[in-house]
Amino acid sequence: MRNLSLPALTAVLVSTAAGAQTAPVPVPYTVQTQPGARSGGGTVNDVALWVDPANPAASRLITADQNNGLFTYALDGGEVQAVTEGTSASVDVLGGFPLAGGRSAALVLSANPTLTGLVPYVMDSAADGGGLTRLSPTAAPLDVGVSYGTVRLVRGADGSLQAFGGLAAGGIRQFALTPTDGGVTATPLRDIPAGTALGMVVDPAYRALYVAQQGQGLYRYGADADAGTTGTQVVGLGDGGLTSVGRIALYEASGVDGYLVASDPNANTFVVFDRRTLGRVGAFQLVQDGGTDAVEQSRGLVAFSGALGTAFPEGLFVAHDGMSSSTLGDNLKLTSWGNVARAFSPPLIIAAQPQADAGTGGDGGTGTDGGGGVIINPGEGNPIGGGGGGDDDSGCGCTSASVPAVATLGLLAMALLGRRRRS
């Protein structure tokens, strides 16, 4: 029998331990948006999900349009509303923003290059005209005079409302957001020196801020304002099958389990990393059933674990498609998270939230409590991810292999090398 060379053996072991060489699996999308005249033409930069707490099936997707502002879409793909106040480079939404009369709504924040700052809106299901209205329309944008390319809304460890903004010139700024009479103010908490942030997401359970830095890869910072400004590269370009990096999203299967999903625009894939270990699980492509009209050059994604009516009872995955052949422009492609999970072998975790408003802050903001609900095993054997280990919040495990697996591979290497010497 031909013996493996040491370099070849090393390559096999590394590939086995990290899962970096597995081919992307195809996942069919089931719905796509039909952009109107104002929202077409390859101009979408970001997407966020607002969950209707009274009727999750009536939830809306909000897109940031670099030419026209903000657009909202129903989950059946139809355009609902256009708010054309300048342009938008990025958008996010978070529930629990107090309004007059003791009510609350979801706060929407848009990075608006035209108005040069962060422009606040509210998404209120009781409002007329589609629900998205500007908060204090005569007030100047937050941090006026500063251009942002990415914005994300989060809850602080104390429950306070905060935001992270990726500066167009590079670096990240963290704010405390304080509701005022009819508006909101922003107080800078810290500036983080970094490259250009193409994507950001906060993991509330591990108090981690993940940043997709242009030309570099994925970095982790502490999410709290007193966590310092030093980050750690957890996945570099070329590692874990990641050739480029764009927007990123967090799928919260439970309080501590789930996945970090990163868009790889150059490869037209989405790379999945385990939430606990940050080890690569695999990658997938979003395609039409039959493999046509795949998502390309994606500039936005959403991964949500809650049930959204009968169309998406197992959660939702949404991706921006920069070159949709079916609509002759860019649009959004939607699929059930269950379709994503079952495309892998063994399947990924599917989380079910028995209460429609679990994790929504009560008025449509998403991902504020770390998930919740129960974990469903979607197939034979154990689902990928999670595991029986303790709640390791270091977040610095950079392969998907367990310690016993690494030990086993080491013994295999020794045995093969010993056989080579004897022959």
Side-chain angles (χ1 to χ4, degrees):
M1 185 180 90
R2 182 181 177 186
N3 291 312
L4 288 172
S5 67
L6 184 57
L9 178 61
T10 302
V12 169
L13 296 179
V14 169
S15 175
T16 302
Q21 304 302 318
T22 54
V25 297
V27 176
Y29 60 83
T30 55
V31 176
Q32 59 180 325
T33 58
Q34 301 296 326
R38 291 175 296 180
S39 60
T43 59
V44 173
N45 274 334
D46 202 3
V47 59
L49 171 68
W50 171 74
V51 177
D52 188 328
N55 180 13
S59 300
R60 306 238 174 95
L61 294 165
I62 309 170
T63 61
D65 189 293
Q66 66 185 8
N67 289 341
N68 298 292
L70 300 176
F71 292 84
T72 67
Y73 296 88
L75 297 184
D76 64 3
E79 185 180 308
V80 176
Q81 185 183 9
V83 180
T84 54
E85 298 177 319
T87 60
S88 182
S90 183
V91 65
D92 201 18
V93 57
L94 187 66
F97 185 80
L99 300 175
R103 297 188 304 116
S104 67
L107 179 67
V108 176
L109 204 57
S110 170
N112 190 316
T114 305
L115 301 179
T116 321
L118 302 173
V119 180
Y121 298 81
V122 290
M123 178 65 88
D124 185 0
S125 58
D128 295 330
L132 186 62
T133 57
R134 185 167 171 182
L135 188 65
S136 187
T138 60
L142 306 180
D143 208 21
V144 64
V146 179
S147 294
Y148 288 89
T150 307
V151 63
R152 291 295 178 260
L153 290 163
V154 299
R155 290 282 176 186
D158 59 356
S160 61
L161 189 62
Q162 298 182 7
F164 287 95
L167 297 158
I172 301 163
R173 183 165 294 168
Q174 184 176 5
F175 298 93
L177 300 179
T178 305
T180 61
D181 186 16
V184 63
T185 61
T187 303
L189 298 176
R190 62 171 169 166
D191 280 5
I192 299 174
T196 300
L198 299 179
M200 293 187 295
V201 69
V202 169
D203 188 328
Y206 297 108
R207 303 307 306 160
L209 167 67
Y210 293 104
V211 181
Q213 294 193 32
Q214 186 175 32
Q216 299 181 54
L218 292 177
Y219 283 74
R220 172 179 167 144
Y221 299 84
D224 299 319
D226 60 358
T229 60
T230 302
T232 302
Q233 188 183 60
V234 292
V235 183
L237 296 188
D239 297 334
L242 200 64
T243 67
S244 65
V245 68
R247 303 295 190 189
I248 52 178
L250 178 68
Y251 177 83
E252 299 176 87
S254 71
V256 294
D257 292 303
Y259 306 100
L260 189 67
V261 184
S263 170
D264 186 342
N266 285 355
N268 297 323
T269 61
F270 300 93
V271 184
V272 182
F273 299 92
D274 184 85
R275 182 183 181 187
R276 287 178 182 255
T277 67
L278 299 182
R280 181 185 188 274
V281 175
F284 66 94
Q285 291 180 308
L286 207 57
V287 300
Q288 201 170 61
D289 194 11
T292 62
D293 194 20
V295 166
E296 299 176 88
Q297 301 177 10
S298 180
R299 293 190 297 273
L301 69 160
V302 167
F304 182 66
S305 60
L308 296 174
T310 57
F312 300 101
E314 295 180 321
L316 177 67
F317 181 80
V318 180
H320 163 255
D321 184 359
M323 297 180 65
S324 175
S325 61
S326 55
T327 61
L328 301 180
D330 67 344
N331 69 354
L332 304 178
K333 302 291 199 294
L334 290 69
T335 193
S336 165
W337 177 262
N339 289 339
V340 176
R342 294 184 182 92
F344 288 80
S345 181
L348 305 184
I349 297 171
I350 302 172
Q353 294 181 334
Q355 297 181 3
D357 62 352
T360 66
D363 47 36
T366 58
T368 59
D369 68 351
V374 298
I375 298 176
I376 296 176
N377 184 344
E380 296 285 333
N382 293 325
I384 297 175
D391 295 347
D392 177 13
D393 61 359
S394 68
C396 200
C398 295
T399 75
S400 57
S402 65
V403 172
V406 171
T408 301
L409 292 172
L411 291 173
L412 175 61
M414 293 173 63
L416 289 173
L417 290 174
R419 180 171 182 174
R420 181 185 178 190
R421 291 192 185 99
R422 288 194 300 271
S423 63

